[in-house]
Amino acid sequence: MRIRAAVLEQFDAPLAVQELELAEPQAGEVLVRLVACGVCHTDLYTASGADPSGYAPTVLGHEGAGVVERVGESVGSLRPGDHVVTLFSPQCRECAHCRDPRTNLCLAIREQQGRGLLPDGTTRLSRDGEPVRHFMGTSTFAEYTVMPEIALAKITPDAPLDGACLFACGLSTGLGAAMNTAAVQPGSTCVVFGAGMVGLGAVAGSRLRGAERIVCVDLSPERLELARGQGATDLLRGGPDAVAEILELTGGLGADYTFEATGNVAVMRQAVEAARMGWGLATVCGVAGKGETLDVVPRLLITGRRVAGSSFGGVKGRDQVPELVERWLAGEIDVAPFISHRISLDDVNRGFELMERQDGIRSVIEF
């Protein structure tokens, strides 16, 4: 079938919206009609050329939600008409990692996905007979996409898909960082560095876990106010004095849990320094630039602080994304403030521009 999609032709250049061929789903694959897709920083990160594992040409996009149109052979968990959220972090439920509660990093299709291919080592996207690679196993900057069954979370049809798409990446990453990776304990003090999509999710996740005090740190007063709406009790303007201010707020001890959601290695260091001596846990969610390293004074670790990384918030997508969506529908998570702009596929580059200007939290493409 012919589809329209936003193609990354070369790094550090605008995406080109054009017509491509999309082949039928093969065994274990599903054809999805996209309804909504968030424009995430990871898409911009790859388009800029900063991602060392990036490639072109490819169809970007990974924060999608839509409706199943057709299924390939051996697909048993989905059927046409099902509403789904796309998962760049799949869950086969069979590999050693899927069976272990300590990680969500499924091993089943990891190698092929990283190369821009579907599990059988080929693509379903093409242009004039030449393959166009998939991105993060999803390629949701398109009217339709073909994906592995194990990379789709079936959700209730009651959930509006323009909000559900945010659970495909940013919102689940932040929620899960607090609820899964850090497993925030009731009555604790949390500090979240960054009030973008992931940081706001971490604020909400800390609230849902029963944190008593949630401090949010950001440069933007508008974003800090959004953090208050998600449950932040204290707001701090970011900068070189942030750690000193956090220590003052916590009696000189630091926070039980800190979360970094900026991708800035200097802020990552602040997250470690602001963690409590003895048991403080700093969770890093942001993606740093190519070649950057985290500089931490070893004494901070020797005195009991710990550092953890969190990919997709430790969320096992097929099992847990539907649960998070249900909590949204139950009123526990306020999604509406995150959707700042509604745009068309043709405006995808404007979505990047809005992100670079920090204009709002999420631009959502509506198909």
Side-chain angles (χ1 to χ4, degrees), residues 1-24:
M1 63 187 297
R2 301 284 292 179
I3 65 166
R4 296 178 74 247
V7 181
L8 172 65
E9 295 283 6
Q10 61 184 42
F11 298 121
D12 199 24
L15 304 187
V17 178
Q18 55 191 255
E19 281 200 347
L20 300 178
E21 288 286 342
L22 181 66
E24 290 294 309

Side-chain angles (χ1 to χ4, degrees), residues 28 68 107 160 173 180 194 212 229 234 243 326 344:
V68 172
L107 300 171
T173 296
N180 296 334
E212 181 176 330
D234 299 82
V243 173
E326 292 288 355
S344 69

Side-chain angles (χ1 to χ4, degrees), residues 39-63:
V39 181
C40 177
H41 188 270
T42 304
D43 302 304
L44 176 60
Y45 176 69
T46 298
S48 72
D51 182 357
S53 61
Y55 44 78
T58 184
V59 174
L60 294 182
H62 64 286
E63 203 171 68

Side-chain angles (χ1 to χ4, degrees), residues 133-145:
R133 283 195 276 181
H134 301 258
F135 175 68
M136 297 179 74
T138 53
S139 288
T140 53
F141 285 173
E143 296 170 324
Y144 292 82
T145 188

Side-chain angles (χ1 to χ4, degrees), residues 39 114 155-156 210 228 241 250 257-258 305:
V39 181
I155 62 170
T156 173
R228 191 192 301 278
D241 298 328
T250 56
Y257 303 94
T258 65
R305 297 165 186 84

Side-chain angles (χ1 to χ4, degrees), residues 322-335:
E323 295 172 359
L324 293 175
V325 169
E326 292 288 355
R327 297 189 76 165
W328 163 39
L329 297 180
E332 297 181 45
I333 304 167
D334 187 6
V335 170

